[in-house]
């Protein structure tokens, strides 16, 4: 487990990002997963700084721990008040982070046929331990690719745009790669027999999209 105590200050987010990235790199995590964890940690620290009551000497306790299927990040402040979800609507400029990410996630999945890809992965055989592990790894790769693409859209587009507009803007910035990925995935899905080798080619192209 990694732990940090940082000042209740906006500049702490950058220090937390660098510290977690360095630690997870040393532990051998892939870059896409590290980027996701760092993004979440930065948002949590920023939210704590913006919304948690503070006093002289206030600190935030940060911890992160690698578990079987995830990296768990915790940010604790010294406020006695429990956090609560804010009521927001589509015209609000803040407080909509989870909503925005979810909308992007599902819209990207639809545009790149990722739901269809997952359906084909789920249909892969599980005749023995190794085929079961291969199927599980393929599912993980699909979700990792989708997560990396969502992060790329979030980081490279104007947050004042709506989800579809942000995806359009990102795709315009990466026209050739997006079209190559779309055509490869479509060709893979349209084959009579969609096996692990076919899916691996499609996944490789998707993983290269955020580069």
């Amino acid at each position: 487990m990694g732990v940090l105590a940082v000042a209740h200050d906006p500049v702490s987010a950058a220090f937390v990002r660098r510290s977690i990235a360095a630690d997870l790199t040393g532990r051998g995590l892939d870059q896409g997963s590290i980027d996701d964890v760092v993004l979440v940690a930065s948002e949590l620290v920023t939210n704590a700084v913006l919304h948690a009551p503070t006093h002289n000497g206030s600190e935030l306790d940060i911890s992160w721990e690698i578990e079987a299927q995830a990296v768990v990040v915790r940010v604790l402040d010294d406020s006695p008040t429990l956090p609560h979800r804010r009521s927001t609507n589509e015209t609000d400029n803040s407080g909509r982070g989870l909503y925005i990410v979810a909308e992007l996630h599902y819209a990207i999945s639809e545009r790149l046929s990722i739901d269809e890809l997952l359906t084909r992965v789920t249909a892969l055989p599980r005749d023995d331990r190794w085929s079961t592990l291969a199927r599980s790894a393929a599912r993980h790769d699909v979700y990792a690719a989708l997560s990396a693409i969502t992060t790329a859209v979030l980081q490279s587009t104007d947050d004042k745009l709506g989800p579809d507009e942000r995806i359009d803007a990102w795709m315009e910035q990466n026209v050739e790669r997006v079209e190559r990925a779309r055509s490869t995935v479509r060709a893979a899905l349209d084959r009579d027999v969609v096996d692990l080798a076919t899916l691996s080619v499609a996944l490789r192209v998707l993983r290269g999209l955020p580069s």
Side-chain angles (χ1 to χ4, degrees):
M1 175 187 289
V3 294
L4 285 174
V6 299
H8 194 287
D9 188 285
V11 300
S12 293
F15 177 69
V16 169
R17 287 196 299 270
R18 291 193 300 270
S19 299
I20 293 179
D23 179 71
L24 296 181
T25 298
R27 294 169 185 248
L29 264 71
D30 64 275
Q31 190 58 52
S33 297
I34 292 172
D35 290 343
D36 289 345
V37 175
V38 167
L39 178 63
V40 169
S42 182
E43 288 296 313
L44 290 173
V45 171
T46 299
N47 284 342
V49 170
L50 289 175
H51 303 297
T54 183
H55 54 78
N56 290 337
S58 286
E59 287 188 336
L60 300 174
D61 293 321
I62 320 296
S63 67
W64 60 98
E65 184 173 8
I66 301 175
E67 297 190 349
Q69 300 293 328
V71 177
V72 177
V73 179
R74 298 180 179 88
V75 177
L76 302 177
D77 57 64
D78 55 10
S79 170
T81 305
L82 291 174
H84 62 277
R85 184 173 179 175
R86 294 171 55 191
S87 297
T88 60
N89 58 54
E90 294 186 2
T91 63
D92 288 336
N93 292 323
S94 64
R96 300 177 59 239
L98 183 60
Y99 171 79
I100 291 169
V101 172
E103 280 205 327
L104 282 173
H105 180 95
Y106 291 119
I108 291 168
S109 179
E110 182 177 352
R111 293 208 194 187
L112 296 178
S113 304
I114 288 177
D115 282 346
E116 289 184 68
L117 203 58
L118 278 169
T119 299
R120 295 305 185 103
V121 169
T122 301
L124 288 172
R126 290 177 286 175
D127 300 329
D128 55 33
R129 176 171 178 265
W130 292 107
S131 60
T132 300
L133 288 173
R135 175 180 174 274
S136 177
R139 284 180 63 84
H140 176 272
D141 286 347
V142 173
Y143 284 118
L146 178 55
S147 177
I149 294 167
T150 303
T151 300
V153 174
L154 284 167
Q155 292 178 338
S156 64
T157 57
D158 188 343
D159 60 12
K160 295 182 178 63
L161 299 174
D164 286 326
E165 293 172 311
R166 294 184 77 167
I167 296 170
D168 288 340
W170 178 78
M171 286 185 166
E172 287 174 8
Q173 296 167 13
N174 302 277
V175 174
E176 291 185 9
R177 279 186 291 153
V178 169
E179 288 307 313
R180 183 167 62 250
R182 275 178 158 172
S183 62
T184 301
V185 171
R186 189 71 265 157
L189 292 172
D190 288 343
R191 292 193 66 196
D192 292 335
V193 177
V194 183
D195 55 13
L196 183 59
T198 303
L199 292 170
S200 296
V201 173
L203 283 171
R204 182 178 180 183
V205 175
L206 282 177
R207 286 197 300 267
L209 264 180
S211 302

